[in-house]
Amino acid sequence: MKIEIDGLTKHILGTGDFISIDISKCNNCGSCILVCLVNLWGRKDNRIYISEDYKEKCLECAACYQVCDAGAISFQYPAGGTGVIYEKG
Amino acid sequence: MKTYDLIIVGAGPGGSMAAKTAAENGLKTIFFERGRKPGEKNSSGCGLGPRMWKQFPSMMKDLTPEKCPSLRAGAAARNYFINEEGIVVGYVMTRPTESVSYEPAKSWITMNCYRSEFDPWIAEFATYAGAELKNSTLIVNLLKKDGNICGVVDEHGEKYKAPIVIGADGAVSMVAKQSGLRTRWAQDQITVTPQYDFFAPPNKIDDIMGDEALAVWWSAIFPASYQVFFHDGFHQGLGNWLNKWDKNPLFYLNRVINLKYYQRLLKILDAKPRELQSHLLPWLKYPYNTHTDGVILIGDAGGFPCPLEAEGIYPAMVTGKIAAEVAAEAITSEDISKSALSKFDEMWKKTSVGEEFEAGEELYNIWKALPFSPKETMSWFVPMFMEVMGGIYDWSQPHAKRVRQIAAHVKSYMPKALPFIMKYVFPLVAKIFENDLDKIMDPQKLMSVIPKIMDLLPKKKKQRREKL
């Protein structure tokens, strides 16, 4: 059985961004790309970016924020009552 | 602006315990939850240990399958061993041993339930005691006046005032950050823990797993992975410090799922993946920076998970209760300074949690060097251990000869095993038994003796009887 992760998470979509990257601080180390379980980070033209649809997929573990030694990633939990829902956590 | 005696950010087990204790001490208390209800954002699962029943008996006896339908108690634990080829080369099933003295712990090792049921259950004790729970509310900042912390601000700009704020807001704590206690953890103080929840029919779990509460999959190809059984499902997860990953954490978790043995287990359990979860889990040698003027950090926010296997709920409840007691005293005596709140450290150090951390560094080091180092350590540990456990099951040789072969093979692992024992096992044993064993446990002495003992193993078999 290969596990398809699509459909294994549930979200209540909120408004407003809760993760952002300050490219001027980013050292391009790629640790955020490595640790994100659901692959929300990418690199294009040598710049790190977060997927546009991250709010629909983010598990809110904040590993990207925590792993960023350059302090380029800002993370705040999504608005109260929105974001990922763990029914069997 | 609303005014309280005590504000608690977070309504997990620690926050709820603090809120309950504070309300019972007569404090006007509010606690905040960013989910629509407590437990909606948490994915650590609950392996509740007997210590909780020992310490909070009147509460815990209320935890029944009616209140928490996912509740499952188990007496057995299984340890699987997986080699570099991804083969389950053995397992050891254990039950409570003869030396277990606390009566309930003889019949079960953990009670497991989902946080989506446990957290609301425990929050109710706090609201029943009179604390106000505000759900669906994200606290985004601390309220400050003349540089002093005096409350919190929510996402809508609403202000709540109180002389003391307890940070019960988990690994990525806003309270820790805004109070200047911690910006973020060092990479070797925090683990990321991906986890699948699988559905499985309760009768299948009972028939196949019996009364197993949990399993640990010790492996040479992924960091140790845990499996926890609930009434109608189970978690499979693993973690490691953030600086230890060379591939995506999910890649390693999928290695567990893709083991042939695991696939068979999924098949017979009729198990289906139900949810993917991830969380950060602090894993420290010793908690520090736990408080400052008007602020106390508890549970994960304070870095209190167990330094050996990261049990988090019990330490959160213990530190939550103590923090509320200290806060109540500080408010009564009108001294909320850092030095007055240092009583928090004094008190938790005297508890079972404090005792756990006395050997925190040694426990942390051995965990880091063994289950969290699959390539470096488990790659030789697993075959060495299995040589001892299973080497005798070979009928191609006379048994006595076989034993000599096993001994010789185990000896070949000694260049790796002995330094490991010296570096990680002896310091731990010496710490646990303090000075009693210093004399016989002197690593220098043992290093000189053990290889000699190994050399005494006969290389050639002596003839027992003279030839006729």
Side-chain angles (χ1 to χ4, degrees):
Chain A
M1 182 201 301
K2 193 179 175 299
I3 297 186
E4 276 302 327
I5 62 172
D6 288 346
L8 291 185
T9 58
K10 192 175 159 190
H11 287 77
I12 297 175
L13 217 51
T15 52
D17 280 303
F18 59 93
I19 304 177
S20 59
I21 180 160
D22 179 348
I23 287 299
S24 68
K25 288 186 188 167
C26 175
N27 61 13
N28 224 333
C29 72
S31 296
C32 50
I33 301 174
L34 182 76
V35 298
C36 181
L37 289 200
V38 284
N39 301 314
L40 297 181
W41 295 92
R43 187 189 271 119
K44 200 178 174 188
D45 301 330
N46 225 20
R47 278 163 73 100
I48 304 285
Y49 68 92
I50 186 160
S51 306
E52 279 178 17
D53 61 352
Y54 78 91
K55 280 183 257 179
E56 294 161 36
K57 292 179 178 167
C58 178
L59 300 178
E60 296 167 29
C61 69
C64 55
Y65 162 78
Q66 181 55 58
V67 83
C68 182
D69 278 332
I73 294 174
S74 307
F75 178 91
Q76 187 178 52
Y77 290 110
T82 70
V84 73
I85 305 291
Y86 289 140
E87 288 172 344
K88 306 289 175 184
Chain B
M1 188 176 346
K2 291 179 180 165
T3 304
Y4 296 86
D5 294 323
L6 181 66
I7 289 170
I8 299 157
V9 183
S16 289
M17 199 66 201
K20 171 186 183 284
T21 310
E24 285 170 353
N25 275 277
L27 298 186
K28 190 183 175 198
T29 306
I30 185 167
F31 63 132
F32 294 94
E33 166 58 44
R34 68 185 181 92
R36 294 170 305 171
K37 63 178 180 96
E40 188 174 73
K41 294 288 185 178
N42 304 87
S43 64
S44 75
C46 291
L48 307 171
R51 270 198 295 195
M52 290 175 60
W53 275 257
K54 224 173 174 175
Q55 189 152 355
F56 310 111
S58 61
M59 275 176 85
M60 297 314 293
K61 74 168 192 248
D62 184 67
L63 187 74
T64 58
E66 289 72 45
K67 303 270 172 70
C68 271
S70 63
L71 201 65
R72 188 173 194 277
R78 200 190 298 230
N79 300 275
Y80 295 88
F81 296 92
I82 294 99
N83 71 5
E84 279 180 301
E85 282 83 50
I87 294 167
V88 175
V89 288
Y91 63 75
V92 180
M93 196 269 271
T94 62
R95 303 182 66 81
T97 56
E98 284 180 0
S99 63
V100 175
S101 56
Y102 180 61
E103 191 56 46
K106 290 180 181 177
S107 48
W108 54 272
I109 52 169
T110 59
M111 292 248 188
N112 308 329
C113 64
Y114 289 122
R115 295 287 298 274
S116 53
E117 294 170 6
F118 182 79
D119 288 27
W121 170 82
I122 192 169
E124 236 182 83
F125 284 90
T127 52
Y128 181 78
E132 180 184 343
L133 169 63
K134 201 160 172 17
N135 285 319
S136 296
T137 306
L138 183 70
I139 298 300
V140 295
N141 214 337
L142 292 174
L143 190 62
K144 287 175 192 168
K145 197 183 174 193
D146 306 327
N148 299 316
I149 293 158
C150 59
V152 298
V153 186
D154 75 13
E155 58 198 309
H156 309 296
E158 181 127 7
K159 293 169 183 166
Y160 306 81
K161 203 164 173 279
I164 296 183
V165 176
I166 291 180
D169 49 346
V172 187
S173 167
M174 179 283 299
V175 178
K177 191 175 172 186
Q178 298 300 338
S179 63
L181 283 167
R182 177 183 67 243
T183 307
R184 59 165 71 76
W185 301 100
Q187 311 287 3
D188 61 353
Q189 293 177 328
I190 184 120
T191 62
V192 59
T193 307
Q195 173 178 288
Y196 287 115
D197 173 74
F198 287 89
F199 163 78
N203 62 323
K204 288 270 183 184
I205 296 177
D206 288 343
D207 288 349
I208 295 160
M209 305 319 300
D211 65 351
E212 281 184 34
L214 55 94
V216 182
W217 298 66
W218 307 92
S219 161
I221 55 167
F222 48 79
S225 173
Y226 57 87
Q227 186 175 29
V228 180
F229 290 94
F230 305 95
H231 176 69
D232 76 345
F234 55 94
H235 280 168
Q236 190 75 45
L238 52 73
N240 212 336
W241 283 283
L242 272 169
N243 57 353
K244 297 269 272 183
W245 298 102
D246 58 354
K247 288 194 175 69
N248 193 292
L250 204 55
F251 167 85
Y252 286 102
L253 182 55
N254 284 335
R255 273 194 168 172
V256 186
I257 310 301
N258 292 330
L259 295 173
K260 276 186 185 163
Y261 191 104
Y262 199 87
Q263 289 286 321
R264 288 211 313 273
L265 192 59
L266 290 179
K267 196 171 163 189
I268 58 170
L269 280 167
D270 212 359
K272 302 274 179 300
R274 184 162 51 182
E275 212 164 71
L276 172 67
Q277 305 150 354
S278 180
H279 67 282
L280 293 189
L281 176 62
W283 201 318
L284 273 68
K285 294 175 182 176
Y286 206 83
Y288 63 101
N289 286 356
T290 59
H291 61 282
T292 184
D293 297 330
V295 171
I296 304 177
L297 304 177
I298 65 162
D300 282 15
F304 286 103
C306 167
L308 179 67
E309 36 65 28
E311 176 188 17
I313 289 169
Y314 173 74
M317 287 171 68
V318 170
T319 52
K321 183 168 184 282
I322 291 172
E325 286 165 359
V326 169
E329 205 179 304
I331 288 162
T332 308
S333 62
E334 294 183 0
D335 182 2
I336 53 145
S337 67
K338 183 177 178 181
S339 95
L341 299 183
S342 68
K343 182 126 197 263
F344 172 65
D345 276 358
E346 257 174 60
M347 284 176 71
W348 71 256
K349 285 177 187 178
K350 288 180 193 155
T351 66
S352 177
V353 174
E355 205 177 327
E356 200 79 83
F357 275 107
E358 279 173 27
E361 186 169 346
E362 290 77 12
L363 292 169
Y364 172 103
N365 284 341
I366 203 164
W367 197 265
K368 184 176 184 174
L370 194 63
F372 277 8
S373 295
K375 266 183 230 160
E376 302 83 348
T377 315
M378 296 304 284
S379 56
W380 59 262
F381 181 86
V382 168
M384 184 185 78
F385 182 74
M386 289 318 300
E387 193 65 47
V388 175
M389 294 295 290
I392 197 67
Y393 295 99
D394 171 9
W395 282 269
S396 68
Q397 313 278 359
H399 290 316
K401 188 174 179 186
R402 190 66 199 121
V403 172
R404 285 194 297 276
Q405 284 177 340
I406 294 166
H409 198 71
V410 169
K411 191 178 155 186
S412 75
Y413 285 113
M414 287 301 129
K416 280 176 173 166
L418 282 176
F420 180 85
I421 293 167
M422 295 300 156
K423 200 170 168 193
Y424 300 107
V425 181
F426 283 165
L428 177 61
V429 174
K431 183 74 197 174
I432 289 172
F433 291 97
E434 294 297 348
N435 299 321
D436 303 351
L437 290 180
D438 273 4
K439 284 177 192 133
I440 54 164
M441 301 285 288
D442 179 359
Q444 294 289 324
K445 271 188 206 167
L446 281 163
M447 258 316 244
S448 63
V449 171
I450 290 177
K452 283 180 195 159
I453 295 173
M454 295 304 289
D455 278 342
L456 289 178
L457 288 167
K459 290 179 182 68
K460 259 190 166 178
K461 180 179 177 290
K462 279 182 199 154
Q463 293 293 333
R464 179 164 290 180
R465 278 182 242 166
E466 290 299 319
K467 273 179 188 161
L468 291 172

